[in-house]
Amino acid sequence: MKNLSPHIIIEGKKQYQLGELKVNEIIYDFSKILTYLNSKGKLLFGEKFNIIEEDREIIFKLCNYFIKDEANCKRFNLDTNKGILLSGPVGCGKTSLMKLMRYIVPHIKPYKMIPARNIVFGFNHIGYKTIEDYGNTNYFCFDDLGVEPTGRHFGKDCNVMGEIILSRYDLFLENGIKTHATTNLNAQELEERYGNRVRSRMRELFNLIAFDSAVEDKRK
């Protein structure tokens, strides 16, 4: 059933209005989105969750991408046809933000968050069917891309996530299927991990949004 009020989100007994619905367009209010994300974050991750001032620029870019604000996406050089590669140091909050972003657009098909290491563990157990399973038309966000171990099945090594990225690239070209990911690695490290061919595909597959390398570890 079509959601007639996608700009209004109900969590328990609380209602959050993220903007105004005008004709067939939602005029979003970033301050209201932040209020909702902060509340939803506490529900998902506990009362210690807080959106801090230093992260507002990153969150603003992510929000504009997901709500498809064309003017701001153009300003930030974001292509809404591509996926997001969110990079930054350990503990900066990448995974939490990508888990949260799904909720501000309830009218859009959500992506599944899958740790890259879990995919490799699956490959080690059942083999190449794992790569086929992630080369389908579902939407995924691969978490912690680049730090997963090398796959090994029946004595043969395989760069599992590299192969999956190549499959996802083909899906993107053929059907416009998006892929998202988070990573602790920079561009050079990703190329060393996956090779030039995969890195080249990643440039076409993803918009890069990056935290400052000096951002604090929020887990401490």
Side-chain angles (χ1 to χ4, degrees):
M1 193 170 86
K2 187 177 180 181
N3 184 355
L4 299 178
S5 302
H7 62 304
I8 297 174
I9 299 175
I10 297 172
E11 297 284 353
K13 295 181 179 179
K14 288 189 176 181
Q15 179 174 291
Y16 299 88
Q17 186 166 332
L18 306 188
E20 300 289 337
L21 188 60
K22 295 186 178 180
V23 192
N24 291 320
E25 183 182 10
I26 303 171
I27 309 302
Y28 285 95
D29 183 322
F30 183 57
S31 64
K32 291 179 179 178
I33 294 177
L34 277 184
T35 298
Y36 170 67
L37 289 175
N38 210 49
S39 297
K40 186 65 177 179
K42 290 182 186 300
L43 287 173
L44 291 176
F45 312 121
E47 285 298 317
K48 289 185 178 179
F49 178 87
N50 273 305
I51 289 174
I52 61 174
E53 184 63 32
E54 288 83 351
D55 292 345
R56 283 177 67 102
E57 183 179 347
I58 291 284
I59 295 170
F60 187 64
K61 288 180 181 179
L62 287 170
C63 287
N64 279 287
Y65 168 84
F66 281 103
I67 67 175
K68 297 186 177 181
D69 184 308
E70 292 183 13
N72 277 317
C73 283
K74 186 174 182 180
R75 173 183 158 204
F76 294 122
N77 197 28
L78 297 174
D79 183 345
T80 56
N81 293 312
K82 295 182 178 183
I84 291 291
L85 177 62
L86 185 60
S87 74
V90 172
C92 68
K94 303 181 297 295
T95 302
S96 297
L97 285 180
M98 289 305 288
K99 284 181 177 178
L100 275 173
M101 287 297 146
R102 298 176 291 185
Y103 294 99
I104 65 172
V105 282
H107 52 297
I108 294 175
K109 181 181 177 180
Y111 48 86
K112 298 176 183 177
M113 294 284 297
I114 311 287
R117 67 179 182 279
N118 289 7
I119 297 173
V120 175
F121 295 155
F123 173 87
N124 294 347
H125 182 58
I126 65 172
Y128 287 87
K129 184 179 182 300
T130 302
I131 294 173
E132 294 174 14
D133 289 343
Y134 288 98
N136 60 28
T137 55
N138 286 322
Y139 290 80
F140 295 109
C141 179
F142 299 126
D143 195 27
D144 276 340
L145 185 67
V147 294
E148 74 281 354
T150 298
R152 190 170 179 81
H153 185 67
F154 282 112
K156 291 186 177 181
D157 287 351
C158 178
N159 192 329
V160 177
M161 292 309 302
E163 292 298 324
I164 289 174
I165 288 167
L166 292 175
S167 296
R168 301 296 298 182
Y169 175 75
D170 290 340
L171 273 175
F172 171 67
L173 290 185
E174 293 166 11
N175 302 311
I177 301 295
K178 294 179 188 176
T179 303
H180 305 302
T182 72
T183 185
N184 301 334
L185 306 186
N186 60 34
Q188 181 61 39
E189 290 168 331
L190 285 169
E191 187 163 327
E192 290 171 2
R193 179 71 176 82
Y194 296 115
N196 180 262
R197 180 171 175 237
V198 173
R199 176 61 187 140
S200 174
R201 301 294 189 272
M202 290 176 74
R203 290 189 188 97
E204 296 182 61
L205 195 58
F206 298 119
N207 295 285
L208 175 63
I209 297 180
F211 280 88
D212 189 285
S213 59
V215 70
E216 66 173 24
D217 185 342
K218 298 179 179 69
R219 297 174 187 170
K220 291 181 178 179

